Every structure is written in structure tokens, then in C-alpha cells.
Amino acid sequence: MEQTILPTYGTIQENGMRFHTAEMVEFNQNSESLYFNDDQRRIDYVLVYEDEILKEQTKNTKKNLLLKQKKKRQAYESNLMRNGLQLEATKSVSDDGLVFVKVHAPWEVLCTYAEVMHIKLPIQPNDLRQKSSAFNWFTKIFSVSENVINPEQEFFTAPFEKDRISDFYINDRDSFFTPATRSRIVQFILSRVEYAVKDNVKKFGINKLLDSGIYKAAFPLHDCRFNVKSEDARCQNERYLLYREWAHPRSFFKLQPLDFVRKYYGEKIGIYFAWLGFYTRMLLLAAIVGLCCFLYGYKSQESCTWSKEVCDPNIGGSIIMCPQCDKECTYWYLNITCESSKKLCIFDSFGTLVFAVFMGIWVTLFLEFWKRRQAELEYEWDTVEFLEQEEQPLPEYEAKCTHVVVNPITQQEEHVPYTMFGKCLRMAFCTSAVLFWILLIVASVVGIIVYRLSVFLVFSSSLPRHINGTEAIQKYLTPQTATTVTASIISFIIIMLLNMLYERVAIMITDFELPRTKTEYENSLTTKMFLFQFVNYYSSCFYIAFFKGKFVGYPGDPVYWFGKFRNEECDPGGCLLELTTQLTIIMGGKAIWNNIQEILLPWIKNLIARFRSSGIETIKPRWEQDYRLQPVGKLGLFYEYLEMVIQFGFVTLFVASFPLAPLLALVNNLLEIRVDAWKLTTQFRRMVPEKAQDIGAWQPIMQGVAIVAVVTNAMIIAFTSDMIPRLVYYWSFSVPPYGTETSNTMQGYINNTLSVFSISDFKNESRPVPPAWFGTATTCRYRDFRYPPGHEHQYEHSIFYWHVIAAKLSFLIVMEHIVYFIKFIISYIIPDISNETKDKIKREKYLIQKLLHEKHLKLTKKQMGSLADKILKGVDNLTVDKLD
């Protein structure tokens, strides 16, 4: 269609081009109306701008700028009308400067663009019988009543074609295109209509006009108020039903009405809530097993022999430990770690091993069953062939397609935004930028480590290192504990600050990449953001689990960072309890912070907006009520996915150290589903409905996390916990030839696994000052497996060390192979698509072929009549003659 293009150079005169303009009408005092003033044409979209005449004008430059913006807006609206859209403008009832332009798409426009966008629409009701499940009676208890929300009738669908409109199932033109579909079509048009040209480059799209401030907002309308039913008989009150049966806190125990969510918000929102609900239901099983393992550990601490030895005044109270830093630190008694050793018994038990193996299997079941569920939704929501047929290039991509290349398949010329060399340069630049920011995160982690090393000296010199029984806090606030807690809190603060900074950087890098479609854009951004978040959130946990206390040397020859800071040591019981503390602070703090942001921020912003707009007028139209709500960000649900996938990482990667992680995630997700639903339904403008075939790049990311999780949990049990050394001692070193006990036992474990060091072997630069209570002792103990002083191999690793290393490596290999083998079997047994869904897909393809092709062949034959029969008969006779 011919469009009006406005040149943007020079000064625009008042008597410029003539444009088609929207008709200005008065508000008809119907606050719930979703139609133009004629009460016939439905409002499919709303554009909001500030009247340039009423803006404050103080300088000529400002005046000229406002005039340019007005001309661009008028050219844009004129082109919208030339494309068939109908516009109607109304001034705000509370702010004279605001004008609301209502957009309506007539039937012909909807049909035209439905064909362009390959939108699948009904051709025939679904005639396949639904298989009844034995659990239907149970799920009905938690489902929304069918009397409240009527189930959607299922149809077989096909891509729309205007020439075959009679083949489609059209009972009513007004309801054939749903409000969500109408909004999608209008948004497609809005994003591609041109309005100006500069340097021979056309400018187009509502997004650019919004970014430049020409329009203040653009959004589809909610159909009613969320807490009050509309009195209009034509209104289905879908928003009201969604709030009452889905977003309201009292509905937290109900299953989500996913088909209804999809109908109102589109497939992209629907697939997110379907995934989140499925993930939450699967977490229920993991939470129950994790809680049982935790209770087992809690119960077993009463029989934890090695913890009793630590707390025993005659054993742990008589063992003098070597200082854990130079000079400033002093000697200390082992029983100061009594409380932490009791807690460690809860998490470092046999139940932890069982739970780690279970979670390796659970995550496979979750991913495989989600694939099946996703395949069902793809069919039911008509997104099976969405990527190949329906998704259009981004307007920003189309605007920069200035290079011509030859398609190797079609051998036709195509326009692309950059050459192959330019694409390589962009990729190299973007990859370098991502690596730079990841290295920045690693640098911050190193900074936290240096903080831990430095502050440990301070706590060691200021906190008491022995128990006198008069101060209860001394049992808990050890230098190690104080360092761990403060470092975890600081690490969490740095994580949140770097998140806010990198979000902007990742968007800038992805914009520079210029992906072709929105799906490609989101997948590219998802990969960058997750790589950053992975390093940001998990790096401190990886350090504690696999590096802290592993390379410390021994008191006479310690290992130093940068030649200055002595490497950290773990408690005598290992670093597992410290890893649990780190996970609890980061995971819990993240959940609390995110929920505060999601609930309070939009509520406060809307409260301020309502306060500012309160005036004499009390009746406000539907479009003005929605305008006062918060706008949805350009990335939509990206941050919701990111939050949940990061949580998924905490639940799977380090679950061996914290079996209560699935339970915390379950509680958080039950709240998260309703908070997200409440936020979308009550606090935000209606999102533009979008198609989505699946959860995008998040699926392979979770599969990668699931693979890594098997390794990390096996390594936590092998190298971070003390389970393997205890088993080696129990089966080999508690009895002859290495031990003195007559039967396998854990008695003597603490004394056997703490090496001896002679204080005379301290170097002068690290020699501590003995405290008054030290007496005439000549040795101290430290956590390692080394020969004592006086031995021919003194301070070298003992035979116990090599037995433990061999056992750890053997356990790691065996556990990995067993879990991976089970995962492979499960993946092979469970098909990605159920037989029922396959039958439905085949039935739909058959009907499409029959209705849209064979029907037209029969019609053509009927029109040709006897001529066709003669031609066919002649062909048959000719064939027979040739055969003869």
C-alpha cells in the first residue's frame, strides 16, 4: 500500500503535508466500554501521546522539535489508516495533555494479515475421543470448576487462507478472531508501518516512536477491572475470572487454568506458567525425599561418634589445634567446633548420598516428562510448526537489510544486514565482551576470597579461641563462622549489584548482534545472561566446595595467595557446613529480594500514579485505567525464567550439601506462581499476546545443568564431605593391620585423622605467640593425613591419605557412571511425544489435506463437468493403447 513518508531533515513548516487524522471524539461516560463511540467497532489497541500544542514551549529549538514529532506522529497514523486500520481519538479525562488513539482492525484487515502471519485457525471440531485417566477424579478436586470457567472447545486447525475462507469453522465473525489474536495482528502492523526517511533509510515501527517519546505508551486493553465484573453483556470478564480463580492468594492450592491463561495472554505467557507449574509439582517429590533425608540426619546426630569425640572434654577438649593464620592467630582447642560438628552430622550423613543419587534421577524424570507435556501443549495451542511458518523478522533487522546476497538454496537474491565478514566481526566482538564481563565476575570472587583471608586474621585476634563456659555465644561465633557469614552476605550484595549492571550490557551486546527474529534474540540474550549469572551466583559455591582447604600445605610450609595471604583452611569436619551456609544465604536472600521487588515495587508505583491522577473526574474509561498501570518490559518474562533457572541450579548442583533446597524452592514457587499471576492481572498493562513453541534456550540450559549436577554432587560427597574418609577409617584403619580395635568402629576417628605438628618447626615469620593456657605442650594438630615429626617421611602424606584419594576417585567414577547410565535408560524409555498426541497430529494433517485440497479438486471436477470425464477417459484409452 502507498504510504506517506516524512523527510526528517531541515525545518518543517506549518503548512506541510496533509495527513489522514484520527477522528477526535468525547468520552461517552461508559467506563467499561471496549468499543469505539459507535459501540460497534472493538478496540484492538491503544496508542497514547501527549498533545504537542499543550506542551510547555520555551525555546525555538524545542518548538521546532515538537513540530517534527507531531508531523512524524501524523504521518504514522495516516499510514496506519492507509493500511486499513481505523482510528478514533479521545482526550484524557484527568490530564488534558494526554490523547488516547484507539485502533480497530476491520474484518478484511484481519483476514489479510492472518494469511501473511500464517495464523492457524479452526477448520473442524476435534472428533478424537479423550482418554480418561484414573487420576481425573483426584485432579478435579484441585481444578477450577467448569461452571466458573468453561473448557475451551478443541478444534483441528490450519494456516488461514482468504481464498479458502469457506473451509474454516466460522460461526460468528466477531468471535472467529479472539481478542488476543486481533491484538497480535494489530501489533504486527504497528511494528512495520513507516513514518519517516533519513539519509535514504526508512524509519518505521511503534517501538522507535516509543523510544523517541513521540508516543508515551502502546498496549492492548484488559477486558474489565480485575475485581469487578463488567456490566456489558458482550464482555466475557476474563480478567476478573483470572484474578479470582488464578491470581488470588486463596487459589494457591488450585491447578492453573492454563488454557484460559493462554487464551487471554497468549501462548508465550501460557507456556511459562505451564512450565513453572510442572516444575513446582515435580519439586513436591524432591522436597519430600529431601525432608526425609534431613530428618534422618537430624536423628542420626545422636549416634554420631566422631561429633561426640569433638565435644568430649577428654578428647576434643584436650586436642590443641594449630593456628590457621600467621602470628595473629593462636592455638585453640578442638571442642570449640562442637556445635558446628553437631550440625555437620545432619548434612554429612548416609542420607545425603542417597539424596544426591535420587536427585540425579529426579532431574532426568523432570526434563523428560516436561518434553512430553510441552509436546502436548504445542499441539493443543497450535505451535507445532510455528517457527517454520509464522515468526517474522524483527523490524530492527529488516530496517538494516542493505546488503544483497544469493540464497544458496533458491538461487535468488536476498537482503541481509551484514556480510559474512561483518557477521564474524560482530560475533568476535560480542564473544570478547561476554568473556570480559565473566572475567570481571571472577575478579570479584577473588576479591571476596582476599576479604575472607584478611578478615579471618581480624576475627582470630578478636574472638576467643577456647570455651570457658561463661559466654554461650562463644559456642557459635567462631572466627571461621564469623568469616563465612559476613563473606556470604557481602558476596550476595555484590551478586545483586553486578546483576543490575550486566543486564544492560547483555542487552547492548545482543542488540549489536542484530538477531533475525525475536526467538533468536531471546535465545542469544538468554545464553549471555545465564553464562554471567552462572558465574555470578555459583562461583563462590564452587570455590568453597572444591578449592577451599584443598591446597593449604601444612603449618610448617603453608600455601600463600599472591605470596601474602595464607590460604584458607576448613574446619576439622570439612567445608560442607560452610557450603550449606553459603547456599542458604544466597538462595534465601535471592528469593526474599525478588518477591519484595515483584510485589512492592509495582504496587507502590501504581499507588503513586493513582494519587497523581486523582482529580474531579471519577469516571475513567477503560483505556485510561490501563494506562495508569505499569508497562511490561521489552523482555517480558525473561527475568522470571532466569530467576527460576538459577533456582533450578541451586536445587540440583549443590543439593548434596543442602537436602532442604527442594523444600525451600517448593515453598517459594507456590508463592511465585500466584505473585506472577497477581502482578500480570492487577498491576501491569495487558501484554501483547505472542506465540511461543517452547521455553526456548532454557531447555538446553537445564539439560546442561542436569549433566553438570551429577558431577558436582559426586565431587561434593567425595571431596567436600568427610563421608569417604570416615568409611575408609571404619573399614580399613580402625582394625589391624593399621588400627588397634578388634572390630570395625568409628571410635578414634578424630585422633587418627588429625596430623601432628611440632611447634619447633614453625618458621619465624609465621610462629604464633603461645597463650597462657598453652603450658608446656610441644605439638599441635591440623587437618590432614601426614606422617608425624620424627618419622622418616615426616610431614609427607601418609598411607591413609593415598587410601582416601583412591577411594574418593573410585567413588566419583562409580557414582557418575551409575547415575548417567540410569539417566540414559530413563531418557530412552520415555518418548518425547505421547502416542495420543501423535494420533492427534496425524489426524489434523489428514483433515487439512482432505478439507483444503481434496475438496477443491472435487469442486474443480464438478465445475468442469463432462469435459473432465472425457479428458480423463481419453487419457485412460491412450494408456491402454500404448500398453497394447
Side-chain angles (χ1 to χ4, degrees), residues 622-636:
R622 170 85 268 132
W623 49 86
E624 191 157 350
Q625 295 175 44
D626 284 7
Y627 174 69
R628 301 303 174 186
L629 298 176
Q630 291 302 302
V632 179
K634 291 182 178 180
L635 297 178

Side-chain angles (χ1 to χ4, degrees), residues 306 344 347-350 352-353 573-574 576 713-734 745-746 749 752-753 783 785 799-815:
W306 65 271
L344 190 59
F347 299 102
D348 195 358
S349 66
F350 179 73
T352 301
L353 171 60
L576 190 67
N713 284 299
M715 291 182 67
I716 286 173
I717 294 173
F719 296 101
T720 308
S721 77
D722 253 14
M723 185 178 297
I724 302 300
R726 289 200 301 269
L727 291 174
V728 171
Y729 175 80
Y730 180 83
W731 291 106
S732 300
F733 281 79
S734 63
T745 179
M746 283 301 297
Y749 171 75
N752 188 272
T753 54
R783 187 175 188 269
F785 307 112
I799 188 66
F800 192 6
Y801 171 82
W802 298 112
H803 274 73
V804 169
I805 289 295
K808 287 182 175 181
L809 293 176
S810 300
F811 170 82
L812 181 64
I813 294 171
V814 171
M815 180 178 172

Side-chain angles (χ1 to χ4, degrees), residues 178-306:
T178 65
T181 304
R182 297 174 69 98
S183 298
R184 270 185 62 215
I185 292 174
V186 173
Q187 198 274 339
F188 179 86
I189 300 171
L190 293 176
S191 63
R192 283 160 176 77
V193 168
E194 302 166 358
Y195 62 87
V197 61
K198 183 177 182 180
D199 299 329
N200 294 323
V201 177
K202 294 179 180 179
K203 293 187 175 183
F204 57 90
I206 187 63
N207 291 333
K208 289 183 179 294
L209 294 171
L210 289 170
D211 293 339
S212 61
I214 295 177
Y215 284 102
K216 296 178 70 67
F219 53 90
L221 289 178
H222 283 296
D223 66 343
C224 65
R225 295 164 64 184
F226 71 87
N227 55 355
V228 178
K229 273 189 174 183
S230 173
E231 297 179 358
D232 191 336
R234 293 172 293 181
C235 179
Q236 298 180 352
N237 292 293
E238 293 177 347
R239 185 190 186 194
Y240 171 79
L241 292 174
L242 282 172
Y243 171 71
R244 196 181 71 173
E245 303 296 334
W246 178 51
H248 199 281
R250 69 186 177 196
S251 302
F252 78 95
F253 65 92
K254 293 183 179 179
L255 296 175
Q256 301 181 84
L258 292 176
D259 289 333
F260 203 60
V261 174
R262 171 250 182 173
K263 178 184 177 184
Y264 191 76
Y265 285 112
E267 287 76 11
K268 198 165 193 175
I269 301 292
I271 198 77
Y272 164 73
F273 282 102
W275 172 80
L276 181 56
F278 186 85
Y279 171 46
T280 303
R281 289 197 299 274
M282 290 293 291
L283 275 176
L284 180 61
L285 176 62
I288 292 173
V289 177
L291 181 61
C292 291
C293 292
F294 174 80
L295 294 176
Y296 170 82
Y298 183 82
K299 186 68 176 176
S300 64
Q301 69 175 336
E302 298 175 0
S303 58
C304 189
T305 305
W306 65 271

Side-chain angles (χ1 to χ4, degrees), residues 88 95 227 328 351-352 424 501 618 624 626 752 762 781:
E88 183 179 84
D95 185 348
N227 55 355
E328 296 295 332
T352 301
C424 292
L501 179 62
T618 57
E624 191 157 350
D626 284 7
N752 188 272
F762 272 115
R781 309 295 288 271

Side-chain angles (χ1 to χ4, degrees), residues 362-419:
W362 173 88
V363 72
T364 306
L365 290 173
F366 163 63
L367 293 173
E368 292 303 317
F369 281 120
W370 167 246
K371 288 179 184 177
R372 287 170 63 91
R373 176 60 177 150
Q374 186 170 259
E376 293 174 5
L377 293 176
E378 285 180 15
Y379 168 75
E380 293 173 4
W381 294 353
D382 296 324
T383 60
V384 175
E385 300 174 351
F386 159 66
L387 292 181
E388 292 79 8
Q389 293 186 3
E390 197 170 335
E391 192 168 22
Q392 303 292 328
L394 289 169
E396 294 80 3
Y397 178 91
E398 292 179 327
K400 296 185 178 181
C401 288
T402 56
H403 298 278
V404 179
V405 297
V406 177
N407 189 309
I409 299 174
T410 63
Q411 295 298 314
Q412 295 181 352
E413 290 187 350
E414 292 182 351
H415 289 79
V416 295
Y418 36 65
T419 61

